[in-house]
Amino acid sequence: MTQPKRNFLDSIDRKLVKLLLKDGRASFKTLAAEVGLTAPACAERVRRLREEGVIKGYRADVDWNLLGLPINALIRIGAAAEHGKGLLKAFRDTPNVIEVLRVTGSDSYVVHILARSSEELETVIDKIGSFGVVNTSLVLSTPLPASERVANTLGSTD
């Protein structure tokens, strides 16, 4: 990971990050108009933010249901420390696992799962459940998406 060359972002950098969180495909021309720079200056800022690791990449916001993955679940698992390596291997070997967060508290991991059916979800639960206590929650909706919340957390840039 590249170490930042500076330990702060100015208001233009913050505004660029907020704009890219809302639309990762925005053109440099559009971004430049929003932040009051020329397109080349804006492109240079975004390039620097990528080099410094502030912007790690760009992702599509996908409707999983339309891709045939209507089951969206979060699984919390409390596992003994000695199961850590085996559990991480099980996560990596399970295509339905799309994100794993290591957490504190009574749970060891929070795992984001996508599945085609409840039977497929059950298979995943059975596979990782052998490592510890599992608690599964189905995601009904996302009323506050992460990109919106992070942009709010960055605060006002004006």
Side-chain angles (χ1 to χ4, degrees):
M1 182 166 126
T2 305
Q3 291 297 321
K5 295 178 183 139
R6 53 198 167 120
N7 60 2
F8 68 93
L9 300 177
D10 66 18
S11 63
I12 292 174
D13 291 337
R14 286 182 179 276
K15 191 162 188 180
L16 284 170
V17 170
K18 286 175 70 171
L19 291 166
L20 288 168
L21 281 167
K22 289 180 184 174
D23 181 5
R25 291 178 48 108
S27 69
F28 292 129
K29 180 179 177 182
T30 300
L31 293 171
E34 290 285 334
V35 299
L37 294 175
T38 64
C42 181
E44 176 59 25
R45 288 265 188 154
V46 172
R47 183 197 60 74
R48 191 177 67 234
L49 289 167
R50 282 202 60 149
E51 282 181 359
E52 292 176 353
V54 174
I55 297 173
K56 293 179 166 186
Y58 304 92
R59 291 164 185 77
D61 187 9
V62 175
D63 185 329
W64 301 114
N65 194 44
L66 294 177
L67 288 177
L69 296 162
I71 307 291
N72 187 348
L74 298 175
I75 297 177
R76 296 182 310 280
I77 182 166
E82 63 264 17
H83 294 304
K85 286 183 181 178
L87 189 52
L88 286 174
K89 181 177 180 347
F91 294 152
R92 283 188 184 95
D93 292 345
T94 306
N96 301 83
V97 173
I98 61 165
E99 184 176 36
V100 176
L101 304 170
R102 187 168 183 199
V103 297
T104 62
S106 60
D107 297 322
S108 307
Y109 298 94
V110 175
V111 185
H112 190 181
I113 304 290
L114 295 174
R116 290 171 187 77
S117 65
S118 38
E119 293 82 13
E120 193 170 87
L121 175 61
E122 183 177 18
T123 299
V124 173
I125 292 169
D126 289 346
K127 182 174 184 176
I128 66 174
S130 63
F131 290 95
V133 178
V134 170
N135 188 322
T136 304
S137 299
L138 294 178
V139 176
L140 300 176
S141 67
T142 309
L144 295 172
S147 59
E148 176 185 310
R149 301 305 301 163
V150 172
N152 289 342
T153 300
L154 287 173
S156 175
T157 57
D158 298 329

